[in-house]
Amino acid sequence: MTQVEKSKIFNAKDLIAYFLVAGTGAVIQLVSSSLIQDWFDISWSDSIVPSYLVGLVWGFILTKLFAFDARRSNQTRREMVKFFMVATFSLFVTKLGADGSYYIVTHYLGYDIYEAKLPFGKKEVNITEMVCYIFGQGCSFVSNYILHKTFTFKSTGFYNRLKVLIR
């Protein structure tokens, strides 16, 4: 990849906008994960997929409107299909990053599970799980940014070929 191609992918404006949008999505995921754990009495690992799906809807809207300046592209359906494909891949990256790092931290590195109460809250938060979840989200951030920039919100001809295959 040449320097010109790299600068097109990693330009500061898009990267900052995407970071803010993805950060909002990450907060939505963390909050919904906590609520899902409480409501359905499931583990943090089991809450990753449903909380990711909650963040997915908000992620598409925010990414389309703010991150890659695609609000007037008139290709929303095409972008939704591509976004969902990237998001499906990203879900596996998030889950693998979170579960894998948790396993490595607790089994191979031998770190204990740390819990702390949130200020003004009653719930204890497992800090080890949260840090590992954020690590998984960070891995997902990198792959998402590159794929959305070069695939989802760019006309690649993929969607047209996919429509022909489906029909």
Side-chain angles (χ1 to χ4, degrees):
M1 189 177 295
T2 68
Q3 188 64 26
V4 173
E5 290 171 337
K6 283 183 185 177
S7 66
K8 286 181 182 177
I9 293 174
F10 293 106
N11 72 60
K13 178 186 164 224
D14 286 348
L15 196 54
I16 291 168
Y18 186 73
F19 180 78
L20 293 172
V21 166
T24 302
V27 169
I28 289 169
Q29 283 182 31
L30 289 172
V31 169
S32 64
S33 174
S34 180
L35 292 173
I36 289 167
Q37 288 173 53
D38 289 347
W39 292 342
F40 299 104
D41 195 29
I42 60 175
S43 72
W44 76 277
S45 181
D46 292 337
S47 75
I48 291 173
V49 173
S51 66
Y52 187 87
L53 295 175
V54 170
L56 177 71
V57 174
W58 288 103
F60 175 75
I61 295 167
L62 294 174
T63 303
K64 178 165 177 62
L65 294 178
F66 301 112
F68 298 119
D69 197 27
R71 68 179 66 104
R72 291 183 194 90
S73 68
N74 294 326
Q75 299 182 11
T76 301
R77 186 179 311 155
R78 171 181 307 196
E79 292 164 350
M80 284 173 62
V81 169
K82 292 162 107 179
F83 190 91
F84 181 74
M85 292 170 66
V86 169
T88 302
F89 172 75
S90 177
L91 172 59
F92 291 111
V93 170
T94 302
K95 183 95 168 104
L96 183 65
D99 287 345
S101 64
Y102 184 79
Y103 185 80
I104 289 169
V105 165
T106 57
H107 289 81
Y108 286 113
L109 300 179
Y111 285 98
D112 290 330
I113 296 171
Y114 296 101
E115 292 185 345
K117 280 194 177 182
L118 293 174
F120 309 108
K122 296 179 181 179
K123 180 180 180 177
E124 284 203 4
V125 175
N126 186 317
I127 303 299
T128 309
E129 291 173 349
M130 184 176 286
V131 168
C132 291
Y133 192 2
I134 292 170
F135 175 79
Q137 289 178 320
C139 295
S140 173
F141 172 84
V142 173
S143 67
N144 272 349
Y145 176 80
I146 293 169
L147 289 171
H148 287 320
K149 178 85 174 175
T150 61
F151 177 69
T152 304
F153 296 101
K154 183 176 181 183
S155 182
T156 60
F158 176 82
Y159 182 75
N160 293 330
R161 291 191 299 271
L162 182 63
K163 279 190 348 186
V164 169
L165 280 173
I166 291 174
R167 289 182 187 187

